[in-house]
Amino acid sequence: MRHLDGGTFAMGSDEFYPEESPVHRVTLDGFWIDERPVTAADFRRFARETGYVTVAERPLNPDDYPGAEPELLVPGSLVFRKTDGPVGLNDFRNWWEYVPGAYWKKPSGPGSTINGRDRYPVVQVAYEDAQAYATWAGKELPTEAEWEYAARGGLDGARFAWGDEEVVDGQCLANTWQGDFPWHNSKEDGFEGTSPVKSYPPNGYGLYDMCGNVWEWTSDFFTMRHPEEVEKACCVPRNPRVASPRSTEPIPRRVIKGGSHLCAPTYCLRYRPAARQGEAVDTSTGHIGFRCIVRDA
Ligand SMILES: [Ca+2]
Ligand SMILES: [Ca+2]
Ligand SMILES: [Cu+2]
């Protein structure tokens, strides 16, 4: 883990998507943060020691999913399927498939495996699974503000975790998607799917894979935008968190951060510290993982 001193930073961005705005100051106390996402090997150790069963492995209660097709009410997870050619980008069902039997050990479904993938981020974990791991490890999940502060690596206001330019000296600095999503991946960054953690240089705080590779769960519930910047320095929020759902969705959404290997500039420019998305807490997919923190006492 790496220790970050507390401080004040500009959270959010006014340059990209509306949910990232407005930019507003936030003050945080110091904390330790995992220098990389939790890996498949880490999660295997947790599952072995505790016998923990993830959300994707548990039988579904039809009462929780009124109107759902019965064949979808079997344990499983969302798996990305590259398409044969261009498809409409406004319907994610064109490339996400609910695969019965997909879970963290078989991330693409029956027949897939994490053998040989110890250093890859664990995926197919729902919020509750990430939370259970963190508790077992004696850690916690970061708030959105903590995660973003860490991802910025001290470069206040920069677009990316490494600066303002997407590609530096012709080098990709995160695992994202190059080419035409979701059918043609030119892999200029070396990887089609997830990549072993630490495959790219760390940010200014020595943290790897904050952006790209896998999205990461945070403990905040999702809001459509950030609170307004406060006028007076005295009133800058300290250690802000969104601890209860702000909407009446049947399944609440928490904030995920940092984008993934499926972010293509032409479709989703979210491999940035300010980027955010709401994800239903019971959802597990092949592009969401997490990392943990320990707050200063
Ligand atoms: Ca890639
Ligand atoms: Ca990441
Ligand atoms: Cu994306």
Side-chain angles (χ1 to χ4, degrees), residues 174-178 185 187-193 200 261-262:
N175 181 3
T176 62
W177 179 297
Q178 299 84 41
N185 188 337
K187 297 183 278 186
E188 276 143 49
D189 61 23
F191 295 93
E192 171 130 23
Y200 301 88
H261 63 282
L262 296 179

Side-chain angles (χ1 to χ4, degrees), residues 37 147 208-216 257-260 291:
W147 193 97
Y208 296 84
D209 294 288
M210 290 302 290
C211 294
N213 207 0
V214 289
W215 285 94
E216 298 175 27
K257 292 288 274 184
S260 82
R291 79 180 71 207

Side-chain angles (χ1 to χ4, degrees), residues 201-262:
N203 74 0
Y205 290 156
L207 305 174
Y208 296 84
D209 294 288
M210 290 302 290
C211 294
N213 207 0
V214 289
W215 285 94
E216 298 175 27
W217 286 108
T218 75
S219 60
D220 281 15
F221 285 95
F222 184 68
T223 53
M224 294 306 287
R225 58 187 272 121
H226 286 311
E228 295 297 327
E229 163 72 1
V230 294
E231 295 290 321
K232 297 190 203 129
C234 63
C235 309
V236 170
R238 191 173 190 101
N239 302 320
R241 55 171 65 232
V242 182
S244 55
R246 294 291 159 86
S247 69
T248 52
E249 304 162 313
I251 313 264
R253 288 185 293 164
R254 306 244 188 191
V255 175
I256 54 173
K257 292 288 274 184
S260 82
H261 63 282
L262 296 179

Side-chain angles (χ1 to χ4, degrees), residues 73-117:
L73 287 174
V74 290
S77 246
L78 289 170
V79 174
F80 173 77
R81 296 273 188 241
K82 197 155 81 162
T83 59
D84 292 333
V87 292
L89 292 178
N90 48 9
D91 187 351
F92 65 84
R93 286 171 301 186
N94 285 334
W95 54 88
W96 284 113
E97 184 186 352
Y98 187 79
V99 175
Y103 73 113
W104 67 273
K105 258 188 191 174
K106 298 185 177 191
S108 300
S112 66
T113 178
I114 56 164
N115 290 344
R117 296 174 67 91

Side-chain angles (χ1 to χ4, degrees), residues 122-137:
V122 66
V123 292
Q124 306 299 18
V125 281
Y127 181 78
E128 189 180 321
D129 306 325
Q131 177 79 65
Y133 176 95
T135 303
W136 167 79

Side-chain angles (χ1 to χ4, degrees), residues 215 259-260 262-264 267-271 277 287:
W215 285 94
S260 82
L262 296 179
C263 288
Y267 164 63
C268 173
L269 222 161
R270 290 198 170 81
Y271 40 96
Q277 206 158 280
H287 75 154

